[in-house]
Short mmCIF file of all heavy atoms in Angstrom, two decimals:
data_model
loop_
_atom_site.label_atom_id
_atom_site.label_comp_id
_atom_site.label_asym_id
_atom_site.label_seq_id
_atom_site.Cartn_x
_atom_site.Cartn_y
_atom_site.Cartn_z
N MET A 1 -14.37 -11.46 87.58
CA MET A 1 -13.46 -12.02 86.53
C MET A 1 -13.20 -11.09 85.36
O MET A 1 -14.08 -10.54 84.89
CB MET A 1 -14.09 -13.37 86.07
CG MET A 1 -13.30 -14.09 85.13
SD MET A 1 -13.97 -15.71 84.99
CE MET A 1 -13.78 -15.94 83.30
N GLY A 2 -11.93 -10.99 85.04
CA GLY A 2 -11.53 -9.96 83.91
C GLY A 2 -11.71 -10.59 82.67
O GLY A 2 -12.10 -11.75 82.35
N LEU A 3 -11.51 -9.71 81.65
CA LEU A 3 -11.72 -10.14 80.29
C LEU A 3 -10.67 -11.25 79.91
O LEU A 3 -11.08 -12.10 79.14
CB LEU A 3 -11.38 -8.96 79.39
CG LEU A 3 -11.50 -9.09 77.81
CD1 LEU A 3 -13.03 -9.52 77.56
CD2 LEU A 3 -11.22 -7.87 77.14
N PHE A 4 -9.50 -11.24 80.39
CA PHE A 4 -8.45 -12.15 79.95
C PHE A 4 -8.22 -13.34 81.11
O PHE A 4 -7.29 -14.15 80.89
CB PHE A 4 -7.16 -11.49 79.80
CG PHE A 4 -7.29 -10.59 78.62
CD1 PHE A 4 -7.21 -9.23 78.83
CD2 PHE A 4 -7.36 -11.04 77.21
CE1 PHE A 4 -7.46 -8.31 77.71
CE2 PHE A 4 -7.54 -10.19 76.25
CZ PHE A 4 -7.51 -8.76 76.47
N ASP A 5 -9.15 -13.38 82.20
CA ASP A 5 -9.00 -14.37 83.12
C ASP A 5 -9.44 -15.78 82.47
O ASP A 5 -10.31 -15.81 81.62
CB ASP A 5 -9.86 -14.15 84.25
CG ASP A 5 -9.33 -13.01 85.17
OD1 ASP A 5 -8.13 -12.69 84.97
OD2 ASP A 5 -9.98 -12.48 85.94
N VAL A 6 -8.82 -16.76 82.96
CA VAL A 6 -9.16 -18.08 82.48
C VAL A 6 -9.77 -19.00 83.55
O VAL A 6 -9.03 -19.19 84.53
CB VAL A 6 -7.82 -18.84 81.77
CG1 VAL A 6 -8.20 -20.21 81.35
CG2 VAL A 6 -7.25 -18.02 80.74
N ASP A 7 -10.90 -19.49 83.42
CA ASP A 7 -11.55 -20.30 84.34
C ASP A 7 -11.53 -21.78 83.91
O ASP A 7 -11.12 -22.05 82.89
CB ASP A 7 -12.95 -19.82 84.72
CG ASP A 7 -13.82 -19.93 83.76
OD1 ASP A 7 -13.51 -20.10 82.58
OD2 ASP A 7 -15.02 -19.80 83.93
N GLU A 8 -11.95 -22.76 84.61
CA GLU A 8 -11.91 -24.13 84.26
C GLU A 8 -12.72 -24.42 82.99
O GLU A 8 -12.20 -25.20 82.19
CB GLU A 8 -12.39 -25.00 85.53
CG GLU A 8 -11.58 -24.90 86.64
CD GLU A 8 -12.05 -25.51 87.94
OE1 GLU A 8 -13.29 -26.21 87.73
OE2 GLU A 8 -11.65 -25.32 88.92
N THR A 9 -13.87 -23.68 82.88
CA THR A 9 -14.79 -24.07 81.69
C THR A 9 -14.15 -23.55 80.41
O THR A 9 -14.15 -24.22 79.39
CB THR A 9 -16.12 -23.22 81.92
OG1 THR A 9 -16.71 -23.55 83.11
CG2 THR A 9 -16.99 -23.54 80.83
N LYS A 10 -13.46 -22.36 80.47
CA LYS A 10 -12.77 -21.87 79.28
C LYS A 10 -11.58 -22.72 78.94
O LYS A 10 -11.30 -22.91 77.82
CB LYS A 10 -12.33 -20.35 79.61
CG LYS A 10 -11.78 -19.67 78.43
CD LYS A 10 -11.61 -18.21 78.71
CE LYS A 10 -11.17 -17.46 77.52
NZ LYS A 10 -11.04 -15.98 77.95
N LEU A 11 -10.86 -23.10 80.00
CA LEU A 11 -9.72 -23.96 79.74
C LEU A 11 -10.05 -25.36 79.12
O LEU A 11 -9.48 -25.73 78.18
CB LEU A 11 -9.01 -24.27 81.10
CG LEU A 11 -7.52 -24.91 80.97
CD1 LEU A 11 -6.62 -24.05 80.28
CD2 LEU A 11 -7.12 -25.20 82.41
N ARG A 12 -11.19 -25.96 79.53
CA ARG A 12 -11.61 -27.20 78.95
C ARG A 12 -12.16 -27.01 77.55
O ARG A 12 -11.97 -27.84 76.66
CB ARG A 12 -12.78 -27.77 79.87
CG ARG A 12 -12.17 -28.29 81.11
CD ARG A 12 -12.86 -29.37 81.74
NE ARG A 12 -13.75 -30.17 81.04
CZ ARG A 12 -13.35 -31.46 80.71
NH1 ARG A 12 -12.11 -31.91 80.95
NH2 ARG A 12 -14.16 -32.17 79.93
N ALA A 13 -12.83 -25.88 77.33
CA ALA A 13 -13.21 -25.55 75.86
C ALA A 13 -12.18 -25.43 75.02
O ALA A 13 -12.11 -25.85 73.83
CB ALA A 13 -14.13 -24.29 75.97
N LEU A 14 -11.01 -24.75 75.42
CA LEU A 14 -9.88 -24.45 74.52
C LEU A 14 -9.17 -25.87 74.30
O LEU A 14 -8.69 -26.07 73.12
CB LEU A 14 -8.94 -23.38 75.11
CG LEU A 14 -9.37 -22.03 75.19
CD1 LEU A 14 -8.46 -21.15 75.91
CD2 LEU A 14 -9.69 -21.46 73.77
N TYR A 15 -9.10 -26.55 75.26
CA TYR A 15 -8.54 -27.89 75.00
C TYR A 15 -9.39 -28.82 74.12
O TYR A 15 -8.87 -29.46 73.12
CB TYR A 15 -8.27 -28.70 76.45
CG TYR A 15 -7.63 -30.00 76.24
CD1 TYR A 15 -6.20 -30.14 76.21
CD2 TYR A 15 -8.32 -31.19 75.97
CE1 TYR A 15 -5.47 -31.31 75.97
CE2 TYR A 15 -7.65 -32.38 75.74
CZ TYR A 15 -6.26 -32.45 75.78
OH TYR A 15 -5.51 -33.55 75.56
N HIS A 16 -10.61 -28.68 74.28
CA HIS A 16 -11.44 -29.39 73.34
C HIS A 16 -11.38 -28.97 71.92
O HIS A 16 -11.30 -29.80 70.88
CB HIS A 16 -12.93 -29.36 73.83
CG HIS A 16 -14.01 -30.21 72.99
ND1 HIS A 16 -14.77 -29.74 71.89
CD2 HIS A 16 -14.27 -31.51 73.05
CE1 HIS A 16 -15.36 -30.72 71.34
NE2 HIS A 16 -15.15 -31.71 72.11
N ARG A 17 -11.21 -27.63 71.67
CA ARG A 17 -10.98 -27.11 70.42
C ARG A 17 -9.63 -27.64 69.77
O ARG A 17 -9.63 -28.09 68.57
CB ARG A 17 -10.94 -25.60 70.46
CG ARG A 17 -10.58 -24.83 69.20
CD ARG A 17 -10.52 -23.42 69.38
NE ARG A 17 -9.93 -22.84 68.24
CZ ARG A 17 -9.54 -21.56 68.14
NH1 ARG A 17 -9.62 -20.82 69.13
NH2 ARG A 17 -8.93 -21.11 67.09
N ALA A 18 -8.61 -27.74 70.58
CA ALA A 18 -7.35 -28.22 70.10
C ALA A 18 -7.42 -29.68 69.71
O ALA A 18 -6.82 -30.10 68.75
CB ALA A 18 -6.23 -27.91 71.14
N TRP A 19 -8.19 -30.39 70.57
CA TRP A 19 -8.43 -31.84 70.26
C TRP A 19 -9.15 -32.09 69.02
O TRP A 19 -8.66 -32.95 68.25
CB TRP A 19 -9.14 -32.39 71.48
CG TRP A 19 -9.48 -33.96 71.49
CD1 TRP A 19 -8.45 -34.92 71.53
CD2 TRP A 19 -10.72 -34.55 71.20
NE1 TRP A 19 -9.14 -36.02 71.40
CE2 TRP A 19 -10.38 -35.98 71.27
CE3 TRP A 19 -12.04 -34.08 71.13
CZ2 TRP A 19 -11.42 -36.86 71.13
CZ3 TRP A 19 -12.98 -35.03 70.96
CH2 TRP A 19 -12.66 -36.50 71.04
N ILE A 20 -10.02 -31.32 68.70
CA ILE A 20 -10.87 -31.47 67.34
C ILE A 20 -9.79 -31.03 66.24
O ILE A 20 -9.90 -31.72 65.35
CB ILE A 20 -11.92 -30.46 67.38
CG1 ILE A 20 -13.10 -30.84 68.45
CG2 ILE A 20 -12.50 -30.44 66.00
CD1 ILE A 20 -13.68 -32.20 68.17
N GLU A 21 -9.04 -29.92 66.39
CA GLU A 21 -8.19 -29.53 65.35
C GLU A 21 -7.04 -30.59 65.11
O GLU A 21 -6.47 -30.55 64.04
CB GLU A 21 -7.57 -28.14 65.75
CG GLU A 21 -8.50 -27.02 65.65
CD GLU A 21 -7.84 -25.84 65.91
OE1 GLU A 21 -6.75 -25.66 66.25
OE2 GLU A 21 -8.64 -24.76 66.02
N SER A 22 -6.80 -31.33 66.10
CA SER A 22 -5.60 -32.25 66.05
C SER A 22 -6.20 -33.63 65.35
O SER A 22 -5.40 -34.58 65.31
CB SER A 22 -4.85 -32.53 67.32
OG SER A 22 -5.88 -33.30 68.22
N GLY A 23 -7.41 -33.65 64.96
CA GLY A 23 -7.91 -34.76 64.37
C GLY A 23 -8.45 -35.91 65.45
O GLY A 23 -8.28 -37.05 65.37
N MET A 24 -8.60 -35.32 66.67
CA MET A 24 -9.07 -36.13 67.80
C MET A 24 -7.90 -37.08 68.28
O MET A 24 -8.24 -38.23 68.68
CB MET A 24 -10.25 -36.98 67.67
CG MET A 24 -11.60 -35.95 67.34
SD MET A 24 -13.10 -36.76 67.06
CE MET A 24 -14.13 -35.39 66.68
N ASN A 25 -6.78 -36.67 68.14
CA ASN A 25 -5.52 -37.44 68.57
C ASN A 25 -4.92 -36.69 69.78
O ASN A 25 -5.49 -35.86 70.35
CB ASN A 25 -4.48 -37.58 67.42
CG ASN A 25 -4.99 -38.69 66.38
OD1 ASN A 25 -5.53 -39.66 66.82
ND2 ASN A 25 -4.74 -38.36 65.13
N HIS A 26 -3.64 -37.10 69.96
CA HIS A 26 -2.88 -36.42 71.01
C HIS A 26 -2.80 -35.01 70.77
O HIS A 26 -2.51 -34.54 69.65
CB HIS A 26 -1.54 -37.20 71.12
CG HIS A 26 -0.57 -36.48 72.11
ND1 HIS A 26 -0.69 -36.72 73.59
CD2 HIS A 26 0.51 -35.65 71.90
CE1 HIS A 26 0.09 -35.93 73.98
NE2 HIS A 26 0.99 -35.40 73.15
N VAL A 27 -2.93 -34.26 71.88
CA VAL A 27 -2.82 -32.75 71.79
C VAL A 27 -1.51 -32.34 72.37
O VAL A 27 -1.27 -32.53 73.66
CB VAL A 27 -4.06 -32.04 72.42
CG1 VAL A 27 -3.82 -30.66 72.49
CG2 VAL A 27 -5.26 -32.44 71.79
N ASN A 28 -0.66 -31.71 71.72
CA ASN A 28 0.63 -31.01 72.16
C ASN A 28 0.30 -29.58 72.35
O ASN A 28 0.17 -28.90 71.32
CB ASN A 28 1.73 -31.25 71.14
CG ASN A 28 3.04 -30.77 71.84
OD1 ASN A 28 3.02 -30.14 72.82
ND2 ASN A 28 4.04 -30.89 70.96
N PRO A 29 0.01 -29.13 73.55
CA PRO A 29 -0.25 -27.77 73.82
C PRO A 29 0.59 -26.76 73.17
O PRO A 29 0.16 -25.57 72.97
CB PRO A 29 -0.44 -27.72 75.39
CG PRO A 29 0.04 -28.85 75.88
CD PRO A 29 0.26 -29.80 74.81
N ARG A 30 1.82 -27.07 73.08
CA ARG A 30 2.84 -26.08 72.60
C ARG A 30 2.58 -25.79 70.98
O ARG A 30 3.02 -24.85 70.55
CB ARG A 30 4.23 -26.60 72.69
CG ARG A 30 4.58 -26.92 74.15
CD ARG A 30 4.78 -25.81 74.83
NE ARG A 30 5.20 -26.03 76.25
CZ ARG A 30 5.37 -25.22 77.37
NH1 ARG A 30 5.26 -24.01 77.06
NH2 ARG A 30 5.82 -25.67 78.43
N LYS A 31 1.84 -26.63 70.27
CA LYS A 31 1.49 -26.45 69.00
C LYS A 31 0.21 -25.61 68.67
O LYS A 31 -0.05 -25.11 67.76
CB LYS A 31 1.20 -27.81 68.27
CG LYS A 31 2.42 -28.66 68.05
CD LYS A 31 2.13 -29.92 67.30
CE LYS A 31 3.33 -30.77 67.07
NZ LYS A 31 3.11 -31.90 66.25
N TYR A 32 -0.45 -25.31 69.84
CA TYR A 32 -1.71 -24.48 69.78
C TYR A 32 -1.44 -23.41 70.74
O TYR A 32 -1.68 -23.41 72.00
CB TYR A 32 -2.86 -25.35 70.23
CG TYR A 32 -3.11 -26.49 69.41
CD1 TYR A 32 -2.48 -27.79 69.70
CD2 TYR A 32 -3.67 -26.50 68.13
CE1 TYR A 32 -2.80 -28.82 68.89
CE2 TYR A 32 -3.94 -27.57 67.20
CZ TYR A 32 -3.32 -28.73 67.70
OH TYR A 32 -3.41 -29.89 66.86
N PRO A 33 -0.98 -22.13 70.19
CA PRO A 33 -0.62 -20.98 70.95
C PRO A 33 -1.75 -20.53 71.97
O PRO A 33 -1.54 -20.26 73.02
CB PRO A 33 -0.24 -19.98 70.06
CG PRO A 33 -0.19 -20.62 68.74
CD PRO A 33 -0.88 -21.94 68.78
N TYR A 34 -3.09 -20.66 71.59
CA TYR A 34 -4.23 -20.14 72.26
C TYR A 34 -4.30 -21.11 73.58
O TYR A 34 -4.57 -20.63 74.74
CB TYR A 34 -5.46 -20.17 71.61
CG TYR A 34 -5.82 -21.42 70.93
CD1 TYR A 34 -6.64 -22.30 71.61
CD2 TYR A 34 -5.52 -21.72 69.52
CE1 TYR A 34 -6.88 -23.57 71.04
CE2 TYR A 34 -5.84 -22.88 68.98
CZ TYR A 34 -6.55 -23.87 69.68
OH TYR A 34 -6.97 -24.98 69.04
N LEU A 35 -4.08 -22.38 73.41
CA LEU A 35 -4.08 -23.23 74.47
C LEU A 35 -2.97 -23.15 75.52
O LEU A 35 -3.13 -23.16 76.76
CB LEU A 35 -4.23 -24.72 74.06
CG LEU A 35 -4.32 -25.75 75.13
CD1 LEU A 35 -5.48 -25.64 75.99
CD2 LEU A 35 -4.36 -27.27 74.51
N ASP A 36 -1.73 -22.89 74.94
CA ASP A 36 -0.60 -22.86 75.81
C ASP A 36 -0.64 -21.53 76.56
O ASP A 36 -0.44 -21.63 77.70
CB ASP A 36 0.60 -22.70 74.83
CG ASP A 36 1.87 -22.64 75.60
OD1 ASP A 36 2.06 -23.58 76.43
OD2 ASP A 36 2.84 -22.01 75.13
N ARG A 37 -1.09 -20.37 75.99
CA ARG A 37 -1.31 -19.17 76.78
C ARG A 37 -2.37 -19.30 77.86
O ARG A 37 -2.22 -18.78 78.94
CB ARG A 37 -1.59 -18.08 75.77
CG ARG A 37 -0.48 -17.47 75.09
CD ARG A 37 -0.80 -16.19 74.34
NE ARG A 37 -2.02 -16.37 73.42
CZ ARG A 37 -1.97 -16.59 72.08
NH1 ARG A 37 -0.76 -16.72 71.55
NH2 ARG A 37 -3.08 -16.79 71.38
N ALA A 38 -3.42 -19.96 77.55
CA ALA A 38 -4.46 -20.34 78.53
C ALA A 38 -4.01 -21.02 79.58
O ALA A 38 -4.28 -20.82 80.84
CB ALA A 38 -5.64 -20.79 77.85
N LEU A 39 -3.27 -22.15 79.37
CA LEU A 39 -2.70 -23.00 80.48
C LEU A 39 -1.71 -22.21 81.28
O LEU A 39 -1.77 -22.33 82.62
CB LEU A 39 -1.97 -24.09 79.87
CG LEU A 39 -2.82 -25.19 79.21
CD1 LEU A 39 -2.00 -26.24 78.41
CD2 LEU A 39 -3.64 -25.97 80.28
N ILE A 40 -0.90 -21.38 80.79
CA ILE A 40 0.02 -20.54 81.62
C ILE A 40 -0.65 -19.51 82.45
O ILE A 40 -0.33 -19.29 83.48
CB ILE A 40 1.00 -19.75 80.66
CG1 ILE A 40 1.98 -20.80 79.92
CG2 ILE A 40 1.75 -18.60 81.33
CD1 ILE A 40 2.85 -20.24 78.72
N ALA A 41 -1.75 -18.90 81.77
CA ALA A 41 -2.49 -17.93 82.61
C ALA A 41 -3.38 -18.58 83.76
O ALA A 41 -3.28 -18.07 84.84
CB ALA A 41 -3.55 -17.23 81.59
N TYR A 42 -3.91 -19.75 83.53
CA TYR A 42 -4.53 -20.47 84.58
C TYR A 42 -3.67 -20.85 85.67
O TYR A 42 -3.93 -20.82 86.71
CB TYR A 42 -5.22 -21.74 83.98
CG TYR A 42 -6.07 -22.50 85.02
CD1 TYR A 42 -7.41 -22.03 85.27
CD2 TYR A 42 -5.59 -23.47 85.70
CE1 TYR A 42 -8.09 -22.64 86.10
CE2 TYR A 42 -6.26 -24.19 86.72
CZ TYR A 42 -7.65 -23.66 86.89
OH TYR A 42 -8.37 -24.31 87.90
N ALA A 43 -2.48 -21.32 85.25
CA ALA A 43 -1.53 -21.80 86.28
C ALA A 43 -1.04 -20.54 87.18
O ALA A 43 -0.87 -20.69 88.37
CB ALA A 43 -0.35 -22.49 85.64
N ARG A 44 -0.86 -19.48 86.54
CA ARG A 44 -0.48 -18.22 87.24
C ARG A 44 -1.56 -17.74 88.19
O ARG A 44 -1.34 -17.43 89.24
CB ARG A 44 -0.06 -17.08 86.35
CG ARG A 44 1.33 -17.30 85.70
CD ARG A 44 1.66 -16.12 84.82
NE ARG A 44 2.90 -16.32 84.08
CZ ARG A 44 3.39 -15.74 83.13
NH1 ARG A 44 2.55 -14.79 82.60
NH2 ARG A 44 4.44 -16.05 82.51
N GLN A 45 -2.76 -17.77 87.78
CA GLN A 45 -3.85 -17.19 88.47
C GLN A 45 -4.17 -18.07 89.64
O GLN A 45 -4.68 -17.62 90.64
CB GLN A 45 -5.11 -17.14 87.59
CG GLN A 45 -5.03 -16.10 86.58
CD GLN A 45 -6.23 -16.30 85.60
OE1 GLN A 45 -7.22 -17.04 85.76
NE2 GLN A 45 -6.12 -15.41 84.64
N ASN A 46 -4.11 -19.46 89.62
CA ASN A 46 -4.32 -20.39 90.63
C ASN A 46 -3.20 -20.99 91.39
O ASN A 46 -3.31 -21.99 92.12
CB ASN A 46 -5.17 -21.55 89.99
CG ASN A 46 -6.55 -21.04 89.51
OD1 ASN A 46 -7.35 -20.56 90.29
ND2 ASN A 46 -6.81 -21.04 88.18
N GLN A 47 -2.03 -20.48 91.03
CA GLN A 47 -0.80 -20.86 91.87
C GLN A 47 -0.60 -22.41 91.70
O GLN A 47 -0.33 -23.13 92.80
CB GLN A 47 -0.78 -20.41 93.24
CG GLN A 47 -0.50 -19.03 93.42
CD GLN A 47 -1.77 -18.18 93.40
OE1 GLN A 47 -2.88 -18.67 93.87
NE2 GLN A 47 -1.65 -16.98 92.85
N CYS A 48 -0.63 -22.91 90.51
CA CYS A 48 -0.52 -24.33 90.33
C CYS A 48 0.51 -24.45 89.29
O CYS A 48 0.84 -23.62 88.55
CB CYS A 48 -1.74 -25.06 89.94
SG CYS A 48 -2.54 -24.67 88.41
N SER A 49 0.95 -25.68 88.82
CA SER A 49 1.92 -25.99 87.87
C SER A 49 1.23 -26.14 86.46
O SER A 49 -0.07 -26.25 86.47
CB SER A 49 2.77 -27.18 88.12
OG SER A 49 1.85 -28.34 87.99
N TYR A 50 1.97 -25.90 85.45
CA TYR A 50 1.51 -25.98 84.09
C TYR A 50 0.94 -27.39 83.90
O TYR A 50 -0.07 -27.55 83.25
CB TYR A 50 2.64 -25.77 83.13
CG TYR A 50 2.35 -25.77 81.66
CD1 TYR A 50 1.96 -24.52 80.92
CD2 TYR A 50 2.37 -27.01 80.96
CE1 TYR A 50 1.70 -24.62 79.64
CE2 TYR A 50 2.14 -26.90 79.57
CZ TYR A 50 1.88 -25.74 78.94
OH TYR A 50 1.43 -25.77 77.49
N ASP A 51 1.63 -28.31 84.38
CA ASP A 51 1.22 -29.77 84.22
C ASP A 51 -0.15 -30.04 84.88
O ASP A 51 -1.05 -30.79 84.39
CB ASP A 51 2.19 -30.68 84.72
CG ASP A 51 3.40 -30.73 84.04
OD1 ASP A 51 3.41 -30.40 82.80
OD2 ASP A 51 4.51 -31.02 84.62
N LYS A 52 -0.30 -29.44 86.09
CA LYS A 52 -1.78 -29.65 86.79
C LYS A 52 -2.81 -28.83 85.96
O LYS A 52 -3.87 -29.47 85.84
CB LYS A 52 -1.61 -29.10 88.23
CG LYS A 52 -0.93 -29.99 89.13
CD LYS A 52 -1.02 -29.64 90.59
CE LYS A 52 -0.27 -30.70 91.41
NZ LYS A 52 -0.45 -30.46 92.82
N ALA A 53 -2.43 -27.87 85.41
CA ALA A 53 -3.56 -27.13 84.58
C ALA A 53 -3.84 -27.93 83.30
O ALA A 53 -4.97 -27.93 82.90
CB ALA A 53 -2.87 -25.66 84.18
N LEU A 54 -2.88 -28.55 82.68
CA LEU A 54 -3.05 -29.52 81.59
C LEU A 54 -3.85 -30.60 82.03
O LEU A 54 -4.84 -30.99 81.27
CB LEU A 54 -1.68 -29.88 80.96
CG LEU A 54 -1.72 -30.74 79.63
CD1 LEU A 54 -2.51 -29.89 78.56
CD2 LEU A 54 -0.43 -31.08 79.21
N ILE A 55 -3.71 -31.24 83.10
CA ILE A 55 -4.43 -32.34 83.56
C ILE A 55 -5.93 -31.92 83.71
O ILE A 55 -6.76 -32.70 83.37
CB ILE A 55 -3.82 -33.00 84.77
CG1 ILE A 55 -2.61 -33.74 84.44
CG2 ILE A 55 -4.80 -33.92 85.41
CD1 ILE A 55 -1.79 -34.15 85.69
N LEU A 56 -6.04 -30.75 84.31
CA LEU A 56 -7.37 -30.21 84.47
C LEU A 56 -8.19 -30.11 83.19
O LEU A 56 -9.25 -30.30 83.09
CB LEU A 56 -7.36 -28.85 85.28
CG LEU A 56 -8.68 -28.29 85.57
CD1 LEU A 56 -9.56 -29.12 86.43
CD2 LEU A 56 -8.60 -26.92 86.15
N ALA A 57 -7.39 -29.58 82.20
CA ALA A 57 -7.93 -29.22 80.87
C ALA A 57 -8.37 -30.53 80.24
O ALA A 57 -9.39 -30.58 79.55
CB ALA A 57 -7.00 -28.57 80.02
N LYS A 58 -7.61 -31.63 80.46
CA LYS A 58 -7.94 -32.93 79.76
C LYS A 58 -9.06 -33.64 80.43
O LYS A 58 -9.89 -34.19 79.82
CB LYS A 58 -6.63 -33.78 79.85
CG LYS A 58 -5.53 -33.44 78.82
CD LYS A 58 -4.35 -34.55 78.94
CE LYS A 58 -3.26 -34.16 78.03
NZ LYS A 58 -2.23 -35.24 78.15
N THR A 59 -9.02 -33.74 81.76
CA THR A 59 -9.91 -34.61 82.42
C THR A 59 -10.96 -33.98 83.22
O THR A 59 -11.95 -34.55 83.50
CB THR A 59 -9.11 -35.57 83.64
OG1 THR A 59 -8.51 -34.59 84.54
CG2 THR A 59 -8.05 -36.26 82.93
N GLY A 60 -10.80 -32.60 83.52
CA GLY A 60 -11.80 -31.95 84.38
C GLY A 60 -11.65 -32.19 85.85
O GLY A 60 -12.40 -31.74 86.62
N LYS A 61 -10.66 -32.94 86.20
CA LYS A 61 -10.36 -33.24 87.59
C LYS A 61 -9.14 -32.48 88.14
O LYS A 61 -8.17 -32.44 87.43
CB LYS A 61 -10.34 -34.70 87.77
CG LYS A 61 -11.31 -35.51 87.36
CD LYS A 61 -11.25 -36.90 87.53
CE LYS A 61 -12.42 -37.68 87.01
NZ LYS A 61 -12.02 -39.19 86.96
N GLU A 62 -9.21 -31.91 89.25
CA GLU A 62 -8.00 -31.17 89.73
C GLU A 62 -6.96 -32.15 90.36
O GLU A 62 -5.72 -31.97 90.13
CB GLU A 62 -8.43 -30.37 90.86
CG GLU A 62 -9.21 -29.02 90.28
CD GLU A 62 -9.44 -27.92 91.30
OE1 GLU A 62 -8.57 -27.82 92.14
OE2 GLU A 62 -10.40 -27.24 91.14
N ASP A 63 -7.30 -33.16 91.01
CA ASP A 63 -6.41 -34.11 91.52
C ASP A 63 -6.80 -35.56 91.08
O ASP A 63 -7.98 -35.81 91.09
CB ASP A 63 -6.36 -34.09 93.02
CG ASP A 63 -5.77 -32.78 93.63
OD1 ASP A 63 -4.82 -32.32 93.01
OD2 ASP A 63 -6.26 -32.34 94.70
N LEU A 64 -5.76 -36.28 90.69
CA LEU A 64 -6.12 -37.63 90.37
C LEU A 64 -5.80 -38.65 91.39
O LEU A 64 -5.18 -38.56 92.36
CB LEU A 64 -5.33 -38.04 89.13
CG LEU A 64 -5.47 -37.17 87.87
CD1 LEU A 64 -4.50 -37.61 86.72
CD2 LEU A 64 -6.94 -37.42 87.50
#
């Protein structure tokens, strides 16, 4: 794993950080550049969609 690779743990941690910063309300990932970049990187690395990466970050589950 490289320095800029994003795994599931890092993705969930960044989502949690954005959730805290939003006052524990709805998180719009486009308002948090670090989360947006991590979601894009995760989606590219794992050949999945941005939406699936966001679901994984929110729930911790790959498929619902």
Side-chain angles (χ1 to χ4, degrees):
M1 187 163 137
L3 180 62
F4 298 108
D5 290 344
V6 179
D7 62 350
E8 295 169 11
T9 306
K10 189 174 188 179
L11 190 62
R12 291 205 23 100
L14 290 172
Y15 184 84
H16 186 263
R17 176 182 166 192
W19 182 66
I20 296 292
E21 288 179 3
S22 72
M24 298 181 187
N25 282 326
H26 173 73
V27 174
N28 182 357
R30 304 290 182 182
K31 290 184 179 180
Y32 303 96
Y34 57 87
L35 178 59
D36 191 43
R37 285 190 302 262
L39 288 168
I40 292 169
Y42 184 85
R44 285 182 184 162
Q45 289 169 9
N46 295 299
Q47 289 86 33
C48 68
S49 69
Y50 183 91
D51 293 333
K52 286 190 180 189
L54 181 58
I55 290 170
L56 176 66
K58 282 183 180 182
T59 64
K61 300 175 187 172
E62 291 191 25
D63 292 326
L64 295 177

